[in-house]
Amino acid sequence: MVTMSSSKNYVVEVVGVSKSYISGGREVEVLKDISFEVGREFVSIIGPSGCGKSTLLRIIAGVEKPSRGRVVFNLNRKPIIGFVFQFPTLLPWMTVLDNVILPLIATGVEKSSAIEKARMTLKVVGLGGFEDFYPSELSGGMKQRVNIARALAIEPDVLLMDEPFSNLDPLTAENLRSEVLDIWLSSILPVKSIIMVTHNVEEAVIMSDKVIILSPRPARVLKIVDVNIPRPRNRKMPEVQEMVDKVYEYVS
């Protein structure tokens, strides 16, 4: 259940969220009593494969219901949520511009305004001039940029990302991480919070203000680690390596 509030200084609160499925005639518990708060910050969620990280993200997005618990948004209106999938889910028969326009039109934005917003967002992610290209003409990194532009074009309050860099080559992934952080830190777009699911501990430490560590299934919150390292960060910084080691202690 997703509810709205306007009484606290966080943006999102996950309160006692549990999720179970029926499989083979028996109940399988995936998430168990998950609680945490997200302010105006970048938060990463890490944990073992199959522990329910993506399920938790879908519950926050409101596309899946928890068995128990709730998600509270500290807004006085319905939240706008952008979602970046692990794989670019682009429609191959549409141009880059049309793919980015699609969610804007779906939410009732007038076409001329949608085109303007889409063009602006494509410039922000470094794809100005590629509006008339088709997905088949793009590299993997460019497709993921379109994926990110489509999520940002609706000007979300909260941006959810499900392992957005995991299928890119290391150099492309590093560049795209840096670009996403630059967009986030510049406040070019009105994104209040970013919540990212990742398996990459180093990625989580370099990008995040806070790392939420989940246990094996049924997932519980093992630890919430604040990353108080000045930006910009890189993997060679002793503070980053120390924090990566600290997070690994909880993950393992």
Side-chain angles (χ1 to χ4, degrees):
M1 182 171 119
V2 175
T3 59
M4 287 168 281
S5 172
S6 58
S7 59
K8 296 185 180 179
N9 59 5
Y10 54 79
V11 178
V12 185
E13 185 181 18
V14 176
V15 186
V17 165
S18 298
K19 181 68 179 181
S20 299
Y21 297 99
I22 301 299
S23 177
R26 66 188 183 90
E27 185 179 38
V28 177
E29 193 171 29
V30 179
L31 304 172
K32 189 175 181 66
D33 196 26
I34 302 286
S35 295
F36 58 85
E37 295 177 359
V38 179
R40 292 175 178 262
E41 56 189 341
F42 193 124
V43 172
S44 287
I45 300 172
I46 66 173
S49 294
C51 75
K53 299 184 296 296
S54 295
T55 299
L56 178 57
L57 211 61
R58 291 195 298 272
I59 289 172
I60 296 170
V63 298
E64 192 161 337
K65 292 183 178 180
S67 302
R68 294 180 300 280
R70 68 189 190 279
V71 177
V72 180
F73 288 87
N74 183 35
L75 301 167
N76 53 15
R77 55 172 171 76
K78 184 178 179 180
I80 301 171
I81 298 174
F83 204 114
V84 178
F85 298 92
Q86 184 175 2
F87 299 96
T89 53
L90 306 179
L91 299 178
W93 60 87
M94 286 188 168
T95 65
V96 164
L97 184 64
D98 287 337
N99 268 285
V100 177
I101 286 172
L102 198 60
L104 291 165
I105 298 295
T107 56
V109 177
E110 186 183 48
K111 189 167 183 179
S112 60
S113 180
I115 290 172
E116 184 180 344
K117 285 187 176 185
R119 288 186 182 278
M120 183 273 290
T121 311
L122 284 167
K123 286 181 182 177
V124 167
V125 300
L127 286 179
F130 287 88
E131 293 88 349
D132 296 327
F133 281 59
Y134 286 87
S136 61
E137 300 174 300
L138 304 178
S139 67
M142 293 171 78
K143 288 177 184 177
Q144 193 64 329
R145 280 188 172 86
V146 179
N147 204 21
I148 292 168
R150 187 171 55 185
L152 291 173
I154 61 172
E155 298 184 340
D157 300 300
V158 178
L159 180 64
L160 306 177
M161 301 197 295
D162 191 359
E163 298 192 62
F165 314 112
S166 62
N167 289 292
L168 303 174
D169 66 84
L171 183 58
T172 301
E174 186 171 353
N175 289 337
L176 198 48
R177 286 186 202 107
S178 178
E179 289 172 21
V180 167
L181 273 177
D182 286 345
I183 292 168
W184 158 247
L185 295 171
S186 68
S187 301
I188 295 172
L189 297 168
V191 180
K192 296 176 175 65
S193 307
I194 297 180
I195 305 174
M196 179 179 72
V197 161
T198 180
H199 281 101
N200 188 325
V201 173
E202 190 174 84
E203 175 179 274
V205 170
I206 288 173
M207 299 190 76
S208 307
D209 299 296
K210 185 161 66 184
V211 179
I212 298 169
I213 304 165
L214 301 183
S215 71
R217 193 176 65 200
R220 303 170 183 261
V221 175
L222 282 180
K223 185 73 175 178
I224 298 177
V225 178
D226 291 317
V227 185
N228 298 314
I229 302 173
R231 291 187 171 98
R233 304 169 189 160
N234 66 69
R235 61 173 53 88
K236 294 181 180 179
M237 294 171 64
E239 308 98 302
V240 168
Q241 287 304 314
E242 184 179 341
M243 183 64 71
V244 167
D245 292 342
K246 180 179 178 180
V247 173
Y248 265 121
E249 288 179 14
Y250 295 108
V251 173
S252 56

